[in-house]
Amino acid sequence: MNRRDALLRVATFVGTTMSLPALADTLERSAALRASTGKPVLFSADQDATVAELAETIIPATGTPGAKAAKVNEIIDVVLKDCYTQPDQQRFLEGLATTNKLSQDAYGKAFVGLDANQRIEIVKKLEAEAKQQRAAMNKPVQAGSGQQDVQLPKEQKKFTPFFTMLKDLTLMGYFTSEIGCTQALEYVAVPGRYEGCVTLKPGQKAWAI
């Protein structure tokens, strides 16, 4: 998975306390480990399969390949491990568990066993839940005097809901992939063909983006 630049671009969006050179090395090690073993670096095999199908539901194959073909689940696995805090990671994993519970309750199957229409319905429920969570976080708490208290209690401090994380990572993972750049988007091939990872010569300046 030679996607150093794409990984760094996604990491820049999600934020990190690491320096870029250190982050690049960490991301590359995780990506290389996943590529060499064929196993996720954060997810279990079942979680990885669920992420792949969720991403494909968000960006399905149409006239162009979808998220599964672009291996978006691999990017999410690596970036979530190396660029997200442990509470965010835990929230994401809990979101996957919630996804399968919703699927079992509604259809008697795990998410990966649902048909396309059923998956869409589950994703709609996840999206609605994320909207409710954001609305609750933005709603001021009534103080005892009847006035609005601008200070939210600790349990209501803002966080990114599971589905919001999933959707953001899916979109960024897809549109920084070769498939996303060259097939879903209009790609201007300058200076040449698409190169996901280009080795710079000693002393050479990095390409401007």
Side-chain angles (χ1 to χ4, degrees), residues 34 38-58 67-69 71-77 92-93 95-97 99-100 103 110-114 119 123 162 166 170:
R34 167 145 193 160
K39 297 178 180 179
V41 292
L42 176 67
F43 300 142
S44 68
D46 287 343
Q47 289 168 340
D48 192 53
T50 301
V51 171
E53 298 303 339
L54 280 165
E56 182 73 8
T57 304
I58 293 170
K68 282 179 69 176
K71 299 183 179 180
V72 168
N73 59 303
E74 296 185 13
I75 282 290
I76 294 177
D77 179 44
F92 194 96
L93 297 181
L96 295 178
T99 299
N100 278 320
S103 302
F111 186 80
V112 296
L114 304 183
R119 290 177 182 175
V123 166
F162 159 69
L166 171 69
T170 297

Side-chain angles (χ1 to χ4, degrees), residues 4-5 195-202 204 207:
R4 177 189 178 100
D5 291 341
E195 294 287 353
C197 184
V198 179
T199 301
L200 300 179
K201 297 177 182 179
Q204 180 180 347
W207 293 105

Side-chain angles (χ1 to χ4, degrees), residues 53-54 56-58 98-107 109-111 114-130 162-163 166:
E53 298 303 339
L54 280 165
E56 182 73 8
T57 304
I58 293 170
T98 297
T99 299
N100 278 320
K101 185 177 186 307
L102 288 172
S103 302
Q104 289 285 356
D105 290 346
Y107 304 109
K109 300 178 183 177
F111 186 80
L114 304 183
D115 63 35
N117 289 331
Q118 291 169 338
R119 290 177 182 175
I120 289 171
E121 290 306 311
I122 296 299
V123 166
K124 285 180 179 179
K125 290 181 181 179
L126 293 171
E127 185 173 29
E129 181 182 48
F162 159 69
F163 184 76
L166 171 69

